[in-house]
Amino acid sequence: MQRLIDRARAAREMAVAPYSGFRVGASIEAEDGSVFTGCNVENATYGLTVCAERVAIWKALSEGARAFRRLAVVADTEELTPPCGPCRQLIWEFCGEIEITMANLNGKTETMRTSDLLPRAFDRRFLQT
Ligand code: THU
């Protein structure tokens, strides 16, 4: 997991966050061990901002990865930064029940499962009526 945290931390350096100043990095490990990274990307509309987690997931999916084992998210906060609500929904959709490790720059980490962060998720099962 340290490898994944290190990759997320490096990705955070690329954050495009001129509006919030809040820099986030994420990394996701596919079943075959390959790792994809992302940083948050903001823009002048604010609302079209994309979180680091989503950038990492989009990059992985667009490179053909479809099954994942772990995700890491790194921010410079004492209380560890968790994925936002929309990202939790998309992690559930595309990654399912994986390990999500939150880390800060001081080496503090905590790992949770997707269903801990998003209990009773809505997903495709409900569309099969
Ligand atoms: N952000 C992320 O990239 N991931 C998170 O888990 C929380 C929030 C970004 C979005 C925005 O660019 C900035 O942090 C402030 O919300």
Side-chain angles (χ1 to χ4, degrees), residues 68-80:
F68 303 98
R69 290 199 290 232
R70 280 183 276 273
L71 184 148
V73 53
V74 173
D76 185 17
T77 54
E78 182 48 35
E79 180 179 347
L80 295 172

Side-chain angles (χ1 to χ4, degrees), residues 16-17 20 22 24 39-42 49-53 73 81-84:
V16 182
S20 73
F22 191 74
V24 185
C39 62
N40 54 328
V41 181
E42 300 179 349
T49 290
V50 187
C51 291
E53 295 91 324
V73 53
T81 298
C84 74

Side-chain angles (χ1 to χ4, degrees), residues 1 5 71-73 78-83 99-104 107-113 116-117:
M1 183 48 88
I5 294 170
L71 184 148
V73 53
E78 182 48 35
E79 180 179 347
L80 295 172
T81 298
E99 283 185 355
I100 298 166
T101 296
M102 297 158 276
N104 68 13
K108 183 175 172 184
T109 72
E110 184 179 353
T111 299
M112 300 180 76
R113 310 283 297 171
D116 298 326
L117 290 170

Side-chain angles (χ1 to χ4, degrees), residues 6-116:
D6 291 344
R7 293 292 300 274
R9 187 177 173 132
R12 181 179 166 277
E13 297 295 320
M14 305 298 168
V16 182
Y19 303 104
S20 73
F22 191 74
R23 303 164 77 81
V24 185
S27 58
I28 185 168
E29 183 184 285
E31 273 300 340
D32 70 356
S34 51
V35 173
F36 301 86
T37 63
C39 62
N40 54 328
V41 181
E42 300 179 349
N43 65 92
T45 69
Y46 290 24
L48 293 176
T49 290
V50 187
C51 291
E53 295 91 324
R54 254 176 282 173
V55 171
I57 292 170
W58 294 164
K59 284 170 66 178
L61 292 171
S62 67
E63 295 296 323
R66 289 293 182 273
F68 303 98
R69 290 199 290 232
R70 280 183 276 273
L71 184 148
V73 53
V74 173
D76 185 17
T77 54
E78 182 48 35
E79 180 179 347
L80 295 172
T81 298
C84 74
C87 283
R88 294 178 195 199
Q89 181 71 32
L90 291 166
I91 293 167
W92 179 255
E93 173 83 26
F94 295 113
C95 309
E97 185 75 310
I98 59 167
E99 283 185 355
I100 298 166
T101 296
M102 297 158 276
N104 68 13
L105 301 186
N106 300 325
K108 183 175 172 184
T109 72
E110 184 179 353
T111 299
M112 300 180 76
R113 310 283 297 171
T114 313
S115 63
D116 298 326

